[in-house]
Amino acid sequence: MSTRKQPHLTWGLLSALVILALTYVSAAFAQTPNVNSPTRVPPVANPCGRFTAGSVIHQPPALFSSNGVLSVRFSYQTTTDSYGRQLFCFMTPDGLENPTLHVNPGDTLNITVTNNTPTNPVGEMREMYNEPNCGDTTQQTQNPAKSNGMTGGSMNIHYHGTNVSPACHSDNVTKTLINSGDTFQYSINFPTDEPPGLYWYHPHVHGLSEAAVQGGGEGALVVDGINNVQPAVAALRQRIIVLRDQPTIQGLTQSAGQTEGGIPQLDLTVNYVPLDTTTQLPIPPPPQLPVTTYTPAVIHMESGEQQFWRVCNCTSDAPLDLQVRFDGVPQTIQVVGIDAVPVNSQDGTQPGHLIRLKHFRLPPAARVEFIVQAPPATVKLAQLVTQFVDSGPLGDDLPTRPLLTIQTVSDDNDEPLADDRVAPFTGLDTSRRRFGGIMSVTPSLTRTVYFDELEDGTAFFINASGCVTAQGAQCAIQPYPLDTKFDNNNPPAIITTQGTVEKWIVQNHARENHELHQHQIHFLVLSQDNFEINGSQQAPGINGQYLDMVEVPYCNAAGPGCPAPFAWPQVQALMDFRGPVAGDFVFHCHILGHEDRGMMAIEHVNPK
């Protein structure tokens, strides 16, 4: 659904001038919202709707900026489905659920959100937010001594992948709480050189992130103008595809990790259409194992058509390995963008060449945008599947599963016209590349960062354990002991300066996969090391590309742990702090069950 409206052309000149003046006044107010006393957004009836298994997927509802501003009002709500699972969603006053937010580079996104979920106790997950706070500082009536404490109903919003400020009322997650019944105003100013592509938004309260995302409380965010950078998509129909996970409903017990064909950790959904995981009784009787089956969603394509699929792995915990298959045969896809940066777009001639692949590894929270060819009439079964992911002996079971069945139709009019085509943005200056030239910059220092955990699953850690300057001198590491769980009041593990480039060596010392996410910035992947000797394969197509998410697979020790000197799997990357972003933000594993249990740290960027 589009919010664009055609002007009324029958008014007289005077009325037109009045309307024009009011438009400018309205835009001015929209860009400077009243963050101190925003108007409450009332709850919406029948929130958090879902679809039945096997349904045809449709575009999520869409909202578009106008005159440089998109202003949105959200009621954050919860309900339970017929199986007793808790659902979460952002609802607009007119009933749109988790709409796709379309902005242009340089735009302002204003969001007023009221937390209309109930207050719940959180037990040991309670954390105090030391002053200064950005969000809720009101006294909690159920526990006045915990005036700045989070509750089980606390929320905030993270604008994932965006290169925007971490200041208060922008993309701030470490000091922002919106407790039950309270209203908060965000005002996000996008840089004029923000890369066009697919981003997303979701709650990010430490200790509660996994439950909120598993409940479906997230949506897509698109910075328009990708057709200016990559003309190959300009005439194509786009499909926004949001992959989510949710608890299984059959009371099944997850198979051991590394079990192809087993019972997965969580069910998957596609634009809220569930895969409908079921388990057949063993025939003949045991010891034969049960068989897990699925009912994939359906997507329509016209015969001979190419479509532009914009896919978000918006799951809480599940790495995916996407592949298009025609009658079981892998097909070539043409990758246009990864993590909201058009591929091969930042250096060299324009447009950057597309990346042709037979599959793409998509960590939790990562996005990939690619061109898909409709199957010919001779194909009996065309599907998008996620292949088996070996996440390690301590990891979750992630078997092969079909996500979408592609059906060809003669005339596909499923979607509103405004949402169907790639939205243009004529003001995009393709000569300005936010991350360009990074290879010509000497890194100011090299850091070693590693993942580790307690093997009983009770605590997870990310450590900034080594630092060497470009001149070979030792520099500061994290100012607290290694293997310290995250706390919002911890000091920064890393302090750097705006305008610099750092080289990070990110290692995995644990016997399950972990995923690095950097808030506020992107990084250039240099290499994936020691993957094969640990039994894993390098992710295809990402070396030399700019990401905000990267997977580091498990170390293949017999256990417990992977003590030194071990050939730990690692990713080497250049972290780009050259943009305008300064302040406190975080880096963490985006398997949210790991992040909630401590695998996150704060970094501080000083202004130049």
Side-chain angles (χ1 to χ4, degrees), residues 551-575:
E551 183 175 32
V552 189
Y554 64 94
C555 64
N556 199 16
C562 298
F566 199 85
W568 293 305
Q570 64 182 31
V571 170
Q572 299 191 55
L574 296 179
M575 299 289 165

Side-chain angles (χ1 to χ4, degrees), residues 328-343:
V329 178
Q331 302 298 301
T332 298
I333 60 174
Q334 300 180 76
V335 175
V336 176
I338 304 172
D339 287 355
V341 181
V343 297

Side-chain angles (χ1 to χ4, degrees), residues 51-303:
F51 299 98
T52 59
S55 297
V56 176
I57 69 163
H58 296 278
Q59 300 280 60
L63 302 173
F64 294 84
S65 67
S66 177
N67 297 321
V69 177
L70 174 58
S71 294
V72 181
R73 291 173 60 78
F74 275 149
S75 169
Y76 184 65
Q77 295 186 229
T78 186
T79 186
T80 56
D81 65 13
S82 58
Y83 301 99
R85 295 175 298 197
Q86 189 169 20
L87 309 179
F88 293 94
C89 54
F90 293 95
M91 303 293 298
T92 67
D94 54 352
L96 302 183
E97 178 181 359
N98 296 337
T100 300
L101 307 178
H102 285 264
V103 297
N104 295 314
D107 279 0
T108 297
L109 171 62
N110 297 320
I111 291 183
T112 301
V113 58
T114 297
N115 184 355
N116 286 313
T117 66
T119 298
N120 299 308
V122 293
E124 295 179 358
M125 288 192 298
R126 175 178 293 282
E127 291 190 8
M128 294 302 299
Y129 279 43
N130 292 347
E131 297 285 2
N133 285 339
C134 177
D136 210 324
T137 59
T138 57
Q139 193 171 50
Q140 296 298 301
T141 57
Q142 76 277 12
N143 192 346
K146 301 288 189 180
S147 62
N148 298 324
M150 78 178 194
T151 75
S154 299
M155 55 83 63
N156 56 26
I157 304 177
H158 170 45
Y159 303 87
H160 184 111
T162 61
N163 306 131
V164 300
S165 170
C168 185
H169 296 280
S170 186
D171 187 24
N172 177 290
V173 300
T174 59
K175 289 294 184 179
T176 303
L177 281 181
I178 310 168
N179 287 336
S180 300
D182 291 334
T183 301
F184 190 80
Q185 174 77 60
Y186 285 98
S187 187
I188 312 295
N189 297 307
F190 287 85
T192 56
D193 58 358
E194 186 76 287
L198 179 63
Y199 304 77
W200 64 299
Y201 59 93
H202 65 89
H204 203 301
V205 174
H206 177 60
L208 306 177
S209 299
E210 182 183 40
V213 173
Q214 275 186 26
E218 66 270 6
L221 193 162
V222 175
V223 174
D224 285 322
I226 194 169
N227 54 314
N228 298 76
V229 179
Q230 186 41 262
V233 304
L236 302 183
R237 291 147 51 83
Q238 69 172 348
R239 306 305 299 264
I240 305 294
I241 299 174
V242 181
L243 306 175
R244 299 176 172 92
D245 54 8
Q246 62 183 3
T248 56
I249 62 175
Q250 292 81 17
L252 305 175
T253 300
Q254 177 189 181
S255 300
Q258 305 179 295
T259 305
E260 169 65 301
I263 298 170
Q265 173 210 18
L266 296 164
D267 283 347
L268 297 176
T269 72
V270 186
N271 290 10
Y272 289 129
V273 177
L275 292 189
D276 193 29
T277 306
T278 59
T279 298
Q280 299 173 346
L281 293 176
I283 301 173
Q288 180 174 324
L289 295 175
V291 177
T292 305
T293 59
Y294 308 95
T295 304
V298 174
I299 191 169
H300 285 161
M301 298 183 73
E302 294 181 1
S303 299

Side-chain angles (χ1 to χ4, degrees), residues 528-539 551 553 569-571:
Q528 304 171 75
D529 309 325
N530 302 331
F531 280 32
E532 287 80 5
I533 63 176
N534 282 278
S536 301
Q537 297 297 314
Q538 295 186 32
E551 183 175 32
Q570 64 182 31
V571 170

Side-chain angles (χ1 to χ4, degrees), residues 13-35:
L13 178 62
L14 180 60
S15 296
L17 292 173
V18 170
I19 292 297
L20 182 63
L22 290 175
T23 299
Y24 279 110
V25 170
S26 176
F29 275 106
Q31 294 191 52
T32 55
N34 185 355
V35 298

